[in-house]
Amino acid sequence: MKTQMIFPPLVELQNTWLVNIGQIKLGVGPTGEWCFRVGQRMVTISKPDDTMPLLPLLEIGRTEFYDHVRRGVQVRPELAEAVRSFPEVLLLKFAFESSVSDYWPLKAMDWLDLNSDLVSELRGELRTLQSQGWVAQRLRQRVDAAVNRCGEAIFTKR
């Protein structure tokens, strides 16, 4: 699915759209909550399952995404809180919990590598991911490396 950054941010009614992901518009609602629109349906992102359509964001990379949001803040200062409130943890949780292949978890690890503060928050999801039989050695090693960098002893050694 093609992900395209919207610049300058597109304001429609009370929503400010920052990213197109296929037919989905992702942005910030009138009270600062992150939301997306699919056709005429609006979804406020409040749980990991809500982030399923946002998985392609993991392909563009954390730095590029947050740089884009910061550029949007320069044009629309009222979006300043949006940088801090993006539901990144929910997106990463969904990628770790719902996958049956390495693709999305590896993309999520790319984001996690750039924000090691989230490792503690995602401890349960990382532990569960490590226990999945389908997880390839490469992904297991990336999870172990992230945990070790953060000094988190969340796994028992085998």
Side-chain angles (χ1 to χ4, degrees):
M1 193 172 302
K2 182 163 174 68
T3 301
Q4 181 180 21
M5 305 300 191
I6 302 171
F7 192 83
L10 175 64
V11 178
E12 290 180 341
L13 301 174
Q14 297 179 344
N15 299 303
T16 304
W17 305 115
L18 296 161
V19 181
N20 282 331
I21 305 169
Q23 299 298 314
I24 296 166
K25 285 194 182 327
L26 171 66
V28 180
T31 58
E33 75 284 1
W34 280 86
C35 58
F36 62 88
R37 186 180 78 199
V38 182
Q40 297 303 312
R41 192 178 120 223
M42 293 289 295
V43 176
T44 298
I45 302 166
S46 62
K47 58 190 183 301
D49 288 351
D50 294 337
T51 66
M52 189 274 294
L54 310 183
L55 285 173
L57 285 177
L58 298 175
E59 294 175 318
I60 64 166
R62 185 177 195 276
T63 301
E64 185 178 344
F65 174 73
Y66 278 102
D67 285 350
H68 173 69
V69 174
R70 286 184 192 97
R71 277 196 322 273
V73 169
Q74 292 173 353
V75 177
R76 302 201 55 84
E78 67 274 16
L79 296 177
E81 181 59 30
V83 175
R84 290 182 294 282
S85 69
F86 180 71
E88 181 174 21
V89 170
L90 298 179
L91 177 61
L92 297 176
K93 278 184 181 188
F94 187 81
F96 292 138
E97 291 176 340
S98 67
S99 295
V100 292
S101 77
D102 285 357
Y103 186 77
W104 291 120
L106 282 168
K107 295 295 182 185
M109 287 304 300
D110 292 342
W111 277 49
L112 196 58
D113 288 345
L114 295 173
N115 187 356
S116 58
D117 294 342
L118 296 178
V119 171
S120 292
E121 253 182 281
L122 294 165
R123 178 180 22 249
E125 291 75 15
L126 292 170
R127 184 180 294 126
T128 299
L129 182 65
Q130 285 285 76
S131 71
Q132 300 299 317
W134 55 263
V135 174
Q137 186 65 24
R138 183 175 88 173
L139 179 54
R140 288 182 202 282
Q141 289 171 342
R142 294 233 8 230
V143 171
D144 285 340
V147 168
N148 290 337
R149 273 193 308 278
C150 296
E152 289 283 325
I154 64 173
F155 302 106
T156 57
K157 294 293 178 191
R158 298 170 256 212

